[in-house]
Every structure is written in C-alpha cells, then in structure tokens.
Amino acid sequence: MKKVYANATEALDGLLRDGMLIAAGGFGLCGIPELLLQAIKDSGAKDLTFASNNAGVDDFGIGILLQTKQVKKMISSYVGENAEFMRQYLSGELELEFNPQGTLAERMRAGGAGIPGFYTKTGVGTVIADGKEHKDFNGETYILEEGIFADLSIIKAWKADDTGNLVFRKTARNFNVPAATCGKICIAEVEEIVPRGELDPDCIHLPGIYVHRIIQGEHEKRIEQRTTRKREEA
Amino acid sequence: MPWDRNQMAARAAEELEDGMYVNLGIGIPTLVANYVGDKDITLQSENGMLGMGPFPYEGDEDPDLINAGKQTITELARTAYFDSATSFAMIRGGKIAAAILGAMEVDEKGDLANWMIPGKLVKGMGGAMDLVAGVGRVVVVMDHTNKHGESKVLKECTLPLTGKGVVDRIITNLGVLDVVEGGLRIVELADGVTEAEMRAATEATLVD
C-alpha cells in the first residue's frame, strides 16, 4: 500500500479527464484543496463539473479554474463572493445547479454510503423542488434528492498517516469528509504526514479506507473575511 | 422612533431561552449574540461548529476557524466541531431550537425569500433552505420596508422562495409580528411607532 505521492501533479497522474465530475471539500476558502486545484489548472483538463459548496474567490480556490474556463458546471449552494462566477452564470457560459447546503452535504454523504436517493423537507415549495418526486410521510411532504457519485474527490486535511487516516482542524473539516467519501478515488492534501501510530485511533475523523492518495504541502490558507475585536485596554 | 439595527437585535435576543441551541444568520441576526446576557445559549455555525465564540483579537485570526459568513471567529470551552453533513443532520433533524435569519421578503403565509433576485443578484441559498425547513422556530429580522419605501411584509412573496410557510415571527424596525391563521398579528410596536404607521408600512393582511 503506497498512498503517499511527491506532489499534487503526481497524485493526479492518470486520473484527470475532460468532462469528469469532481467533488471538492472546503467551505468558502476554509479547508479547500488549494494545491490540487492549482495542479488541475496546470493540467488543462476542461469541461469539468465540480460539486463544491462554493467556488472560491476570483483568484483562489476553484475561482482559478473559472478564469481559465475549465469548468462547465458547478453544483453549489452559494456563489455570493465570486464576481467571475456570477458573471459567467448570468451570461450563460457556466451551468449552475443550486443545491441547498445541507442537501449538497447529504448528497455527497449518501453517494459515499451507497445510497442513491433520499427524501428531505429542504426546498419543498421552492424552485429546488421543481421536477423532483414528492412524497408524503406522516402528513409532511418531502422531495427526493439523489446521491452524488463523483469520479474524483479532492480534499484538504490537517494531518495524515501514510495509510490515509485523516485528522482535520477546527471548521476546516466542513465538506471535506462527505466530499472524500463520494468519489471513486479520493486524493487528500495535508499539512503534515506523521508516522503510523502517532494519530490517536480514537480521534481519526476520516478512516484511510476513503483516501487513496496523499500529498503533503505548504498551504497559503487565505482568509476571506478577517473580522476582529479590539483588545480591552489594560 | 423605529428600532435601529442593535435594538432589533436586542429584541430578537428576547426570543432565546436558557439552554437553547440556536443558529444566527448573517447581518443583523449576527448582532443578536451581543444581547443574550446571562442566558446559556449555544450558537451553531452550519459549516460545522457548536459553541461559536466572538471575533478574535487582532493577530489571533485563524484561517481554519470561520463562521457561516466566512468571518474569523473563536472557540469556547464548550465548542464541538463536526463535518457539514453532520451539521445539517442536526438542522434537518430538528435538534436546533431556533434560527434567526434576515430576509428580502416575507409574506402573510410565512413564506420567506432571501436568496436571489432573478436577473440581478444571485447569491445562493447556502444553508437557509435547510434551516427554515428543519429548525424548531424561525424568526426573521429585517427592515420593514426596502430602500424605496416599499413594504417587505407582503401578501405574497414576489422573489423565489427560500421556504413555504416556515416563518413564525417577524421582527422589524417597526415592531414584532406573528404569522397566524389568516395573516399576521401585531405582537408589539417599537417605541414611538403607532399602529397606523405599522399598518401603512405593511402590505400583508393584519388580523386581530
């Protein structure tokens, strides 16, 4: 079992093809697989569909692939802070499938768990429900949503061992866990690969069975909205 | 005088009870956290955190620690982190007692619109559709009228909906309204606001 690769480009070797569906972890710019996204940009792969809550900002995260027009379609819940995303969508260059955030997370989780569909109350009575099967349970109406089965998952974690057991840090866990599980192949980029035995088995956030390739690298970890409070005067 | 943003947030904080797990939306709802006083409230951030703390001191910002509005925040002694699927499982599963959210429009049937203006502004619903469908109680906090002076409290929402029949209570700069059988009922008027002013600014049917 050799899961550790030297860098993002090597980890992606043989996996990318035009038109594929990629599930990406991250929320906003927090916990995004920034090194793998850069390597996908460099590869020139195109007509990609991304299942990802956001699309980064114009010059970071998935935004860099929007600038080069490598993305055909986004499956996302929020595009508010990305001007190029909004421009491409409103001009019809980019397909956008809006998913409520929890529905997107559950679609990924379901895909990874071998569940092709599930019923949810979320979106009933809105445009999200248009064309979807409606079914009543105990007097309440639900809609059918489908699991996401991605060709590739790309995620970011804090620490890994060489078997792919992962630990995330604070709110950077977000979509990384469900996104990891729903792909045929999952690549994780991490800040540190530690020796076997160093991660507490009781505190593994994602077991290595879901992770096929791992890289370690330097992360910029850009902050989208720097909000602070003043220190009280002594 | 109608309430200002902070007074609206303070009024919304009165909706919260000791021991509640609560989700606060972006904008005025975020300010509600400043007015919970001694009540033991646990704030959820739907990206994957319970026990959200205040903004960090300058220099202490952590890129791995943000709220659902992507702002840097801090953790508390009670904090728990989890992934987004788990986060929305607790929302959809009805474990969160209340959500306080902003809105573009609300109507007398409790319909809520707050995620897009066709052809003009596309933000996305984020977690709002899941929240309004799943949490115990939905309280909307917003200005009563838009910048053109037109009512945002309508007979029927004109914008794409976030949820249908989901709003329980509306807190605006003019006062507090409840969604009841047949329309909206005035619960409270902001200090100095008359019932006539409230009625004039409200398109929705008001019932006794």
Side-chain angles (χ1 to χ4, degrees):
Chain A
M1 178 167 62
K2 183 194 171 297
K3 294 188 177 181
V4 178
Y5 286 70
N7 56 51
T9 301
E10 285 188 21
L12 285 162
D13 186 46
L15 299 180
L16 291 175
R17 54 181 174 74
D18 294 348
M20 76 191 306
L21 169 59
I22 301 175
F27 174 83
L29 301 182
C30 180
I32 60 172
E34 53 181 271
L35 304 174
L36 289 160
L37 289 168
Q38 181 62 46
I40 291 171
K41 180 191 171 186
D42 296 341
S43 79
K46 60 180 192 300
D47 296 326
L48 301 172
T49 295
F50 274 94
S52 170
N53 190 60
N54 313 83
V57 292
D58 285 343
D59 64 343
F60 197 59
I62 293 174
I64 62 173
L65 296 162
L66 293 175
Q67 286 188 335
T68 51
K69 309 268 172 72
Q70 286 169 268
V71 182
K72 183 183 71 178
K73 178 179 173 182
M74 292 296 308
I75 304 171
S76 303
S77 87
Y78 195 81
V79 301
E81 272 84 36
N82 191 314
E84 177 65 10
F85 190 136
M86 180 130 47
R87 191 198 65 72
Q88 288 189 18
Y89 169 63
L90 291 174
S91 72
E93 293 165 54
L94 179 72
E95 275 179 69
L96 171 57
E97 180 186 323
F98 266 126
N99 276 198
Q101 193 172 334
T103 295
L104 179 59
E106 189 65 11
R107 289 185 66 198
M108 291 179 177
R109 196 199 71 79
I115 296 172
F118 58 92
Y119 292 96
T120 176
K121 275 189 294 190
T122 302
V124 171
T126 76
V127 294
I128 294 303
D130 290 351
K132 289 177 183 159
E133 184 197 324
H134 287 59
K135 186 167 169 144
D136 287 3
F137 295 88
N138 300 319
E140 190 134 22
T141 303
Y142 295 73
I143 54 172
L144 178 66
E145 294 282 1
E146 295 186 359
I148 290 176
F149 298 87
D151 299 306
L152 174 68
S153 298
I154 56 171
I155 64 160
K156 150 86 174 51
W158 181 34
K159 290 181 178 179
D161 64 21
D162 72 309
T163 73
N165 289 322
L166 298 185
V167 176
F168 299 88
R169 191 169 169 275
K170 302 187 188 287
T171 56
R173 196 180 321 180
N174 58 54
F175 274 85
N176 282 298
V177 171
T181 64
C182 75
K184 288 193 194 92
I185 298 276
C186 172
I187 312 177
E189 58 177 72
V190 304
E191 294 175 44
E192 189 184 359
I193 299 174
V194 302
R196 276 185 214 189
E198 207 161 283
L199 300 176
D200 180 349
D202 265 334
C203 299
I204 302 293
H205 297 141
L206 185 71
I209 191 168
Y210 294 107
V211 179
H212 306 91
R213 300 184 181 190
I214 315 155
I215 57 163
Q216 176 181 309
E218 291 292 319
H219 290 83
E220 177 184 336
K221 299 214 286 184
R222 195 183 293 184
I223 291 176
E224 194 163 343
Q225 306 239 25
R226 191 176 294 273
T227 43
T228 58
R229 65 190 148 132
K230 287 261 178 288
R231 280 177 203 278
E232 288 89 4
E233 298 296 323
Chain B
M1 280 288 286
W3 286 326
D4 63 21
R5 290 164 58 88
N6 284 301
Q7 288 168 313
M8 288 159 69
R11 178 59 189 82
E14 292 176 26
E15 301 295 316
L16 305 181
E17 292 163 26
D18 209 49
M20 273 187 172
Y21 289 86
V22 176
N23 185 292
L24 302 178
I26 298 166
I28 301 172
T30 305
L31 301 174
V32 173
N34 300 335
Y35 299 96
V36 296
D38 292 337
K39 283 184 279 198
D40 186 34
I41 303 292
T42 304
L43 297 178
Q44 196 225 25
S45 186
E46 65 265 27
N47 45 326
M49 177 182 195
L50 278 168
M52 183 165 51
F55 293 152
Y57 293 121
E58 241 168 89
D60 289 348
E61 307 93 317
D62 184 337
D64 289 335
L65 183 44
I66 64 169
N67 64 17
K70 286 123 189 171
Q71 298 169 313
T72 47
I73 48 163
T74 54
E75 66 186 19
L76 304 170
R78 72 175 58 185
T79 296
Y81 298 111
F82 34 85
D83 68 74
S84 298
T86 304
S87 184
F88 282 93
M90 65 183 74
I91 289 169
R92 211 185 293 104
K95 315 300 178 190
I96 304 289
I100 301 178
L101 304 169
M104 296 170 179
E105 294 177 346
V106 183
D107 73 25
E108 64 191 43
K109 299 180 296 301
D111 295 359
L112 165 72
N114 71 355
W115 70 282
M116 78 175 294
I117 303 173
K120 270 195 203 161
L121 172 74
V122 191
K123 293 198 306 180
M125 69 289 289
M129 283 190 181
D130 308 277
L131 282 162
V132 299
V135 304
R137 184 170 162 78
V138 174
V139 178
V140 163
V141 182
M142 63 172 197
D143 283 325
H144 210 94
T145 54
N146 65 21
K147 57 175 183 274
H148 307 297
E150 297 155 345
S151 186
K152 294 170 66 176
V153 184
L154 305 173
K155 288 189 186 305
E156 185 155 21
C157 288
T158 62
L159 297 170
L161 295 182
T162 307
K164 208 168 173 53
V166 293
V167 176
D168 295 291
R169 177 163 278 191
I170 307 162
I171 299 173
T172 75
N173 51 327
L174 300 186
V176 181
L177 299 159
D178 270 353
V179 179
V180 296
E181 193 69 32
L184 304 180
R185 187 173 60 81
I186 300 173
V187 176
E188 195 177 323
L189 295 165
D191 290 336
V193 172
T194 65
E195 189 175 328
E197 286 168 330
M198 170 70 96
R199 285 180 179 277
T202 305
E203 190 207 273
T205 309
L206 292 172
V207 296
D208 291 328

